[in-house]
Amino acid sequence: MDAFQYIGKSVVKVDGREKVSGAALFTEDIEFGSDLLYAEVVEGSHAHAMINSIDISEAMKVPEVLSIVTGKDFPYNFGLYMNDRYIFAQDRIRFFGEQIAVVIARTPQAAKKAAQLVRVNYTPLPKVLNPLDAIAAGAEIIHPDLGQYAHVPWFFPEAGTNIAHHRKIRKGEVDKGFEDADYILEDTYEVPRYSHCAIEYHAAVAKYDHSGRLTVWASSQSPNTQRNLFAKALAPLGIRHNDIRVIAPHVGGGFGSKAGVTMEIMAAAIAIKVQGHPVKIMWNREREFYNTYQRLGVVAKLKIGVKKDGTITALKHDLYWDAGAYVEYAANVVNAVGLSAIGPYNIRNVSIDSYCIYTNLPPGGPYRGFGYSEFLFGLESHITRIASHLGIDAVEMRKKNMIKEGDLTAYGAHMNPNGLSEAITKVAKEIQWNKKDRSSDPNLAVGKGFALFWKAPAMPPNASSSCFLKFNEDASINLLVSGVDIGQGFLTVMAQIAAEILTVPTSKIRTENPDTDRNPYEWQTVASHVTWGCGNAVRNAAIDARDQIFSLVSRSKFLPIEDLFLEDEKVKCKTQPSFELRLRDFIIQGIQMGDGTFRGGPIIGRGIFMPEFTSTNADPDTSQGGHPNVHYTVGAAAVTIQIDKQTGRMNILKVVEAVDVGKAINPDLIKGQIIGGLLQGISTVLYEEMKFDHRGKMLNPNFTDYKIPTALDIPDEIVPIIIEVNQPDGPFGARGMGEHPMIPVAPMIANAIEDALGIRIKSMPITAEKLCLEILKTNPKTPQ
Amino acid sequence: MKKISFILNGEKRFIHVEPNEILLDVLRDRMGTKSPKCGCDSGDCGACTVMLNSKTARSCMIFAIETDGQEIVTLEGISKSGLTPLQKIFLEQNVFQCGYCAPGMILSATELLGKNPHPSRYEVQEALAGNLCRCTGYTPIIDAVLELTKKQV
């Protein structure tokens, strides 16, 4: 039906050749010459302690050490949504491994040696290692200055407590909703912390030159936000935004870990202490685990009331988040979940309390799914449990209650057009939901699980994107945007959007990695919003360029502007079929007139995009009245698993997932997100487990002890399904989907386990060991 | 310091190394070959994979001094005379996402197909199991390897 040339096609990734040839340069691959200095961090060895003194005298004696920087040098705090973070620890440390100082030396060896000689004298403080302890009466207060931290207006910190933010929803009449219910199920679900495990470490190199220019090369999802936060934190030193240049080369995986600002601010700060020299700060695998962001843990208390026919009458969801030592980003995860923890359901009576709680564990932060995986574990487990109690099919129960276009969300806004119903139907059919699979081997149990998901981008209401589109003499294009290709295919999708409008093939379009000096503003590459937000900016830039082209051709060739169109890199005219003008013949040099003069000049498109309908102005006690989210992306997923009853080992026989992407700009890349996201989700259920000791120290910060899947640990069969119910305000109808594939995995597996064994697991992960112990202690279904 | 030499991507190179210098660091920081990456520094992830005497090896686990007189090939060497059929199919099928694991993954798959031109699915999985990838879920990579072997029947 649609006659698109580039949209909807699995064109080859524009950065594909670089990636398969070894040519792609990541931050650590860039050479900085013989003057490069190396930084090594001095880490705290308590989860919570006052710092009495830092003795650097022995460390400074190490040859080739230039400088040692501590919190005294940079007494500034910063943060994305709340300024509760410090570049270096000030008077206290709040998690095990927090940065106290940095040694700068000529060689990495000298820096490491000196870092070990920095002596820190502490007075240990009582520590709080779980969120429920942290809100108990008399709990140690982790941030006595909470009341003084600047924060966005939609956060509600409770000074004098460990509650950094509390998002409340009150909709309808919850008590009455429960009174009207024929059945109420109330239970608690627990989801622990997880690590992103991008294979590339965080890395940052900074140089503060003698003219006062600060350049930072960083593996980052957020170059503009980094520049903004560096500029704000370093403003006391007289550094302005335009003095700072952030360059983001290829990024070796993000998943949220490289969003916002973490270790990069140390590079920016210490460069100022060694003016004139580039200085590099590299993370290692251990620090990737305990000093970037971790996915937050949560204890979720969920109560749902239903009528006998399955209609949900009320939902009460109380979520206690283990947000860690600093919550400048994590508090927005808590906020996002607070707004959306009804799941993709139409529920009249709702009460949600989502608490962001400080603990003395590493800072929580954004992780693919942004809290939705965590709350949906309980919610989608609950829906299946209620359905079985009522004797209703779990898929029918979902269909009955699912949210539809125009229904009200928990905060009272209208739901966007969506293909949830189509997704449910297609997934149920593909997994053969109505067919019970059973194993002939009595030691094996087979079960099926189903789950829905939804997620909205969690962004400030004015998060914006922009694009410059520059033509070259041969009508090739350099597309300047500041979104980041973290593997999802952003560069390619932007090229496809421009290609479609300008009829220039994607092979002639280079989408450039961010450089804040060259490329225009993008808020961040997070929230699954860049296809939508930055895609709109690129579309606007391409339309702007096309308008300039038509205007130029119209006035120089005396053709009516409305008759002009583009085809195969040429301007053509509907009313004069013989007319055609190649873009390459005028796009830079202009068009020559009869008298020898020229018209035109280089065509440069400009596009911006900011959603102008979002607002966080709402009643803080109910969250009613605002429009905090742009839209939701929805879908459904199902799994067939086979369990070895003697070992608890689970084998995923088949997994099906349907996502409503609005419009699939590049189906290959969408399928890639689905397949990759599913395995990341499966991994959080079956393999990954963070261990902390009684001191709050992470015990397994490496791939030997924290297992992520290998090529042998994948499902036997994966069926990705693309649903396309257009997003009216998206580029060609597209909406984001990068995070979503992993969101439904945990409850869908838990539901399948119950189907297979009659055992309900309410805490993650669900490792083979854990399941085996459950099989031993419960009374499983008799072997078939 | 000891002067050693090895054949790197077909070229004889000479270098003075300390006995404790790691091959990965020497290749990246002193030889200019950036395709081997560091992803764990402990032999778990395979991002540092190189071919040492035609067999894949973890360059983060090898002292450079051990490679005196030996032959090393990195992805730069593989790509020297254009993309191989394996690289081409990986490119055409958009199998990689961030691409950080790609150099190691391609070398492991190249080694497999050199030894076993028609591997089973399980053999492909096993050959790639030492290369961690967090983006792709592996399936597109495995599918592309198998498709190539079918083309080359």
Side-chain angles (χ1 to χ4, degrees):
Chain A
M1 192 175 69
D2 35 78
F4 293 130
Q5 213 178 341
Y6 300 101
I7 298 295
K9 307 286 189 287
S10 290
V11 303
V12 170
K13 289 178 77 171
V14 295
D15 55 339
R17 190 166 278 268
E18 281 177 86
K19 301 279 173 76
V20 301
S21 66
L25 290 182
F26 298 82
T27 299
E28 220 225 331
D29 298 334
I30 300 171
E31 293 283 355
F32 291 91
S34 50
D35 192 33
L36 178 65
L37 305 178
Y38 297 86
E40 182 64 30
V41 171
V42 178
E43 301 178 328
S45 53
H46 292 272
H48 199 195
M50 298 304 293
I51 298 173
N52 300 324
S53 62
I54 302 171
D55 178 3
I56 61 168
S57 54
E58 286 303 307
M60 281 303 292
K61 288 178 192 162
V62 174
E64 299 190 292
V65 168
L66 275 76
S67 178
I68 296 176
V69 182
T70 70
K72 282 200 184 108
D73 297 290
F74 294 99
Y76 315 127
N77 55 356
F78 72 98
L80 185 64
Y81 293 103
M82 175 188 275
N83 288 5
D84 71 347
R85 196 136 199 207
Y86 302 86
I87 305 174
F88 299 101
Q90 299 293 309
D91 57 335
R92 69 167 80 198
I93 49 171
R94 295 179 174 86
F95 70 96
F96 205 108
E98 183 170 358
Q99 65 271 15
I100 290 176
V102 156
V103 176
I104 305 166
R106 279 282 165 201
T107 66
Q109 294 79 8
K112 268 199 184 76
K113 187 175 175 191
Q116 287 164 0
L117 295 172
V118 172
R119 298 278 168 254
V120 184
N121 183 276
Y122 305 97
T123 302
L125 295 169
K127 57 193 167 297
V128 190
L129 300 179
N130 90 58
L132 298 181
D133 290 349
I135 54 171
E140 181 74 8
I141 301 303
I142 297 169
H143 283 265
D145 297 334
L146 176 58
Q148 272 92 61
Y149 296 142
H151 59 82
V152 291
W154 70 87
F155 281 2
F156 306 102
E158 297 177 11
T161 77
N162 285 321
I163 298 175
H165 175 43
H166 176 189
R167 169 57 59 189
K168 265 189 258 186
I169 294 258
R170 298 292 181 271
K171 181 190 165 205
E173 297 174 85
V174 177
D175 291 342
K176 184 160 183 314
F178 284 117
E179 280 166 27
D180 292 346
D182 295 320
Y183 172 63
I184 294 171
L185 179 64
E186 197 170 356
D187 216 329
T188 301
Y189 298 89
E190 287 185 54
V191 181
R193 290 164 164 256
Y194 287 99
S195 175
H196 307 75
C197 299
I199 308 295
E200 182 207 24
Y201 304 153
H202 284 65
V205 179
K207 182 175 179 178
Y208 185 55
D209 74 15
H210 289 296
S211 77
R213 151 132 293 209
L214 176 62
T215 307
V216 181
W217 293 260
S219 178
S220 170
Q221 298 176 228
S222 311
N224 288 92
T225 286
Q226 293 199 337
R227 185 179 66 161
N228 187 30
L229 265 55
F230 297 163
K232 283 180 174 172
L234 302 174
L237 302 172
I239 295 173
R240 294 183 303 262
H241 282 75
N242 69 328
D243 296 326
I244 303 177
R245 177 181 186 187
V246 177
I247 297 172
H250 285 307
V251 173
F255 313 108
S257 71
K258 291 165 184 163
V261 173
T262 57
M263 53 79 85
E264 306 83 10
I265 201 165
M266 282 189 261
I270 65 177
I272 291 165
K273 298 294 285 186
V274 286
Q275 190 167 10
H277 306 279
V279 57
K280 178 187 259 190
I281 182 160
M282 271 301 295
W283 250 206
N284 53 29
R285 184 49 60 193
E286 287 72 25
R287 287 184 190 134
E288 283 298 310
F289 278 98
Y290 63 72
N291 192 1
T292 58
Y293 291 123
Q294 293 181 352
R295 195 170 105 175
L296 287 69
V298 72
V299 177
K301 299 185 176 185
L302 177 60
K303 181 178 173 185
I304 293 181
V306 288
K307 302 296 280 184
K308 280 193 191 110
D309 69 354
T311 307
I312 299 173
T313 59
L315 170 145
K316 182 168 161 47
H317 212 165
D318 298 333
L319 300 118
Y320 301 88
W321 294 91
D322 164 15
Y326 301 99
V327 305
E328 44 90 23
Y329 207 145
N332 208 42
V333 176
V334 174
N335 191 69
V337 170
L339 293 168
S340 298
I342 58 167
Y345 295 105
N346 183 19
I347 305 175
R348 198 180 294 267
N349 306 302
V350 179
S351 165
I352 299 171
D353 289 273
S354 188
Y355 298 94
C356 179
I357 302 167
Y358 284 122
T359 60
N360 292 116
L361 289 172
Y367 180 117
R368 189 179 200 172
F370 214 68
Y372 285 69
S373 303
E374 295 89 306
F375 85 76
L376 277 166
F377 174 60
L379 183 62
E380 283 298 284
S381 295
H382 230 60
I383 297 288
T384 290
R385 293 172 69 189
I386 290 169
S388 12
H389 179 88
L390 297 176
I392 298 174
D393 177 76
V395 170
E396 291 309 314
M397 170 92 186
R398 287 176 167 85
K399 276 190 183 163
K400 190 175 195 64
N401 291 287
M402 71 178 189
I403 197 161
K404 299 185 187 71
E405 181 181 356
D407 286 346
L408 294 184
T409 61
Y411 46 85
H414 293 283
M415 180 61 184
N416 50 282
N418 69 84
L420 185 54
S421 171
E422 186 184 342
I424 295 172
T425 305
K426 286 190 168 163
V427 169
K429 186 174 175 218
E430 180 62 39
I431 202 78
Q432 296 185 289
W433 182 249
N434 293 321
K435 184 172 161 253
K436 279 277 173 197
D437 295 342
R438 292 295 173 231
S439 173
S440 53
D441 183 339
N443 283 323
L444 298 176
V446 177
K448 285 180 186 172
F450 206 95
L452 305 188
F453 59 93
W454 80 340
K455 185 190 173 292
M459 312 187 285
N462 56 346
S464 62
S465 305
S466 52
C467 171
F468 291 145
L469 186 154
K470 294 195 300 178
F471 269 104
N472 302 309
E473 288 84 341
D474 59 356
S476 65
I477 292 169
N478 291 82
L479 203 53
L480 306 187
V481 286
S482 294
V484 179
D485 200 313
I486 50 178
Q488 83 284 51
F490 166 79
L491 298 175
T492 307
V493 165
M494 295 305 113
Q496 286 178 261
I497 291 170
E500 188 63 45
I501 293 165
L502 295 167
T503 74
V504 173
T506 50
S507 56
K508 286 181 72 177
I509 301 177
R510 253 182 205 282
T511 318
E512 306 291 359
N513 279 327
D515 170 342
T516 56
D517 265 16
R518 178 187 64 191
N519 302 19
Y521 181 85
E522 167 62 51
W523 172 61
Q524 298 193 88
T525 298
V526 297
S528 305
H529 91 107
V530 287
T531 293
W532 178 77
C534 197
N536 273 327
V538 170
R539 182 196 57 185
N540 292 341
I543 291 171
D544 181 42
R546 188 178 64 188
D547 288 349
Q548 292 174 45
I549 290 167
F550 290 164
S551 160
L552 170 63
V553 172
S554 171
R555 72 188 168 95
S556 51
K557 297 289 182 186
F558 311 106
L559 293 167
I561 203 162
E562 60 276 12
D563 289 349
L564 300 176
F565 66 99
L566 292 173
E567 193 174 88
D568 299 333
E569 303 179 70
K570 296 176 193 119
V571 182
K572 297 187 177 180
C573 182
K574 284 181 223 161
T575 48
Q576 291 196 32
S578 62
F579 174 82
E580 64 173 45
L581 193 58
R582 297 190 306 177
L583 292 178
R584 63 188 308 157
D585 291 335
F586 70 91
I587 204 81
I588 297 287
Q589 282 88 357
I591 296 173
Q592 194 167 26
M593 306 301 285
D595 65 356
T597 60
F598 284 82
R599 300 290 179 273
I603 299 292
I604 302 173
R606 162 195 166 276
I608 62 164
F609 179 73
M610 180 188 276
E612 292 191 342
F613 56 90
T614 40
S615 167
T616 54
N617 291 354
D619 176 355
D621 292 322
T622 65
S623 296
Q624 303 300 313
H627 195 306
N629 289 332
V630 290
H631 55 251
Y632 287 86
T633 296
V634 300
V639 67
T640 307
I641 62 167
Q642 178 179 279
I643 303 165
D644 182 325
K645 292 185 198 169
Q646 290 180 325
T647 63
R649 193 178 154 81
M650 287 158 275
N651 185 19
I652 298 191
L653 302 178
K654 180 167 180 171
V655 54
V656 183
E657 182 165 44
V659 189
D660 177 13
V661 303
K663 173 73 194 170
I665 292 179
N666 188 319
D668 253 10
L669 303 186
I670 284 173
K671 286 175 191 159
Q673 288 304 300
I674 293 177
I675 295 166
L678 278 169
L679 189 62
Q680 196 169 3
I682 289 166
S683 185
T684 61
V685 189
L686 303 185
Y687 308 121
E688 296 175 41
E689 191 165 18
M690 242 176 216
K691 300 277 191 189
F692 292 93
D693 70 7
H694 64 283
R695 297 171 300 167
K697 183 183 184 196
M698 189 178 167
L699 293 173
N700 56 339
N702 57 69
F703 286 149
T704 312
D705 302 312
Y706 184 98
K707 292 290 187 196
I708 66 169
T710 73
L712 287 165
D713 307 311
I714 60 175
D716 291 356
E717 186 186 0
I718 305 169
V719 182
I721 298 173
I722 294 171
I723 311 279
E724 293 182 310
V725 174
N726 277 197
Q727 179 62 32
D729 58 5
F732 299 96
R735 64 172 83 78
M737 57 75 61
E739 295 167 275
H740 303 72
M742 79 177 286
I743 296 176
V745 176
M748 124 185 133
I749 292 179
N751 290 341
I753 290 170
E754 188 179 58
D755 182 47
L757 299 171
I759 294 172
R760 172 56 61 177
I761 309 278
K762 293 178 285 187
S763 66
M764 284 173 68
I766 312 177
T767 57
E769 180 189 9
K770 183 169 174 178
L771 185 57
C772 188
L773 292 171
E774 289 295 327
I775 293 170
L776 287 175
K777 89 181 167 206
T778 58
N779 182 23
K781 286 176 189 170
T782 50
Q784 286 97 27
Chain B
M1 279 282 190
K2 186 186 172 203
K3 187 175 181 183
I4 63 166
S5 71
F6 44 65
I7 311 281
L8 175 59
N9 295 329
E11 180 188 352
K12 190 160 190 182
R13 304 282 296 264
F14 297 88
I15 186 174
H16 285 91
V17 294
E18 296 284 354
N20 63 350
E21 277 187 85
I22 302 294
L23 178 60
L24 176 62
D25 297 338
V26 167
L27 290 174
R28 289 179 50 83
D29 301 339
R30 301 182 60 195
M31 299 280 107
T33 40
K34 300 290 189 182
S35 77
K37 312 290 184 198
C38 183
C40 69
D41 212 17
S42 56
D44 287 315
C45 79
C48 67
T49 301
V50 299
M51 295 278 211
L52 183 60
N53 305 322
S54 306
K55 284 184 183 160
T56 53
R58 308 288 162 108
S59 62
C60 78
M61 305 293 281
I62 296 170
F63 291 116
I65 206 163
E66 297 176 79
T67 63
D68 191 13
Q70 304 191 43
E71 186 181 3
I72 301 163
V73 177
T74 66
L75 189 59
E76 285 90 343
I78 300 273
S79 310
K80 243 171 146 177
S81 38
L83 300 182
T84 64
L86 183 68
Q87 286 170 300
K88 277 185 193 152
I89 199 162
F90 282 165
L91 174 68
E92 286 157 11
Q93 301 199 354
N94 288 320
V95 303
F96 291 114
Q97 292 186 25
C98 81
Y100 198 78
C101 72
M105 198 71 83
I106 293 169
L107 290 178
S108 292
T110 302
E111 180 187 39
L112 169 72
L113 296 181
K115 289 191 303 200
N116 179 1
H118 297 286
S120 67
R121 188 173 191 86
Y122 183 79
E123 285 169 333
V124 177
Q125 287 178 266
E126 206 170 38
L128 301 181
N131 295 85
L132 294 179
C133 167
R134 189 59 152 172
C135 301
T136 65
Y138 303 105
T139 300
I141 300 172
I142 298 163
D143 288 346
V145 172
L146 289 171
E147 197 172 318
L148 179 67
T149 64
K150 276 181 218 145
K151 274 189 191 171
Q152 291 180 334
V153 164

